[in-house]
Amino acid sequence: MSTLSDWRMKFFKWVGLPIIAFIGFFGGATDLVPAWHAHNGHGTVGTFTALRYECGRHDCDFHGSWAADDGSSRREDVILYDEPDALRLGETIPALDSGARAGVFGTEGGTTYLLMAGLTLGGVAALIGWGFVLSVPLRKWRAKRAAREDAKALF
């Protein structure tokens, strides 16, 4: 049983942590700033039209089109983050485009900014943990190399 546990830990340290770090840091960091901007009301004001409602394993999202109120830009097939509970297909609501990769943000507020912050912090923590994992074999290798150099110096 101990060898199975050792194998799992090695797999987590050498494969799991880097994957968690990559997904958390790069996945969260890319939309962290736009989510915070939208939370603070910064961005291009426009109108989102709900055209599709898709559900994945853990959540459901409205997809649709967004057009700036001043007519300066338009985005097709975007996700609406922080949507209001009463939204239905075909309806339009005010939304902010603050530069998120895949979507725009409802103006009524929400918690997407907290989700992105948590995801980014989790990625940073996994990256730091992986740094510690890498430092142990590196220190052992340096100690062995130093011992070999000391042994050569004696003769």
Side-chain angles (χ1 to χ4, degrees):
M1 193 69 162
S2 175
T3 58
L4 180 63
S5 178
D6 291 343
W7 180 85
R8 285 182 188 165
M9 183 55 83
K10 286 180 182 178
F11 183 81
F12 176 74
K13 288 191 318 189
W14 294 103
V15 177
L17 275 177
I19 289 172
I20 291 169
F22 181 79
I23 291 171
F25 184 72
F26 292 109
T30 55
D31 283 340
L32 177 62
V33 172
W36 276 94
H37 282 288
H39 172 67
N40 292 319
H42 303 294
T44 306
V45 179
T47 303
F48 175 84
T49 303
L51 301 175
R52 257 183 10 259
Y53 190 66
E54 291 184 2
C55 293
R57 290 179 69 187
H58 302 290
D59 64 344
C60 296
D61 295 311
F62 281 99
H63 293 254
S65 61
W66 175 88
D69 286 347
D70 62 5
S72 62
S73 62
R74 182 170 181 78
R75 293 180 68 183
E76 299 295 329
D77 196 24
V78 293
I79 297 171
L80 178 63
Y81 300 114
D82 300 333
E83 73 270 357
D85 292 335
L87 184 64
R88 302 287 177 250
L89 286 176
E91 290 183 347
T92 60
I93 64 161
L96 287 172
D97 182 8
S98 58
R101 288 175 294 137
V104 295
F105 297 86
T107 57
E108 293 182 15
T111 59
T112 301
Y113 71 103
L114 293 174
L115 176 67
M116 291 298 127
L119 191 60
T120 304
L121 287 175
V124 168
L127 189 62
I128 291 169
W130 197 49
F132 284 116
V133 166
L134 291 176
S135 69
V136 171
L138 184 62
R139 278 185 282 164
K140 287 180 181 179
W141 177 77
R142 284 183 178 168
K144 284 181 184 179
R145 193 172 112 202
R148 280 195 308 259
E149 293 297 322
D150 289 344
K152 285 182 186 177
L154 289 175
F155 295 107

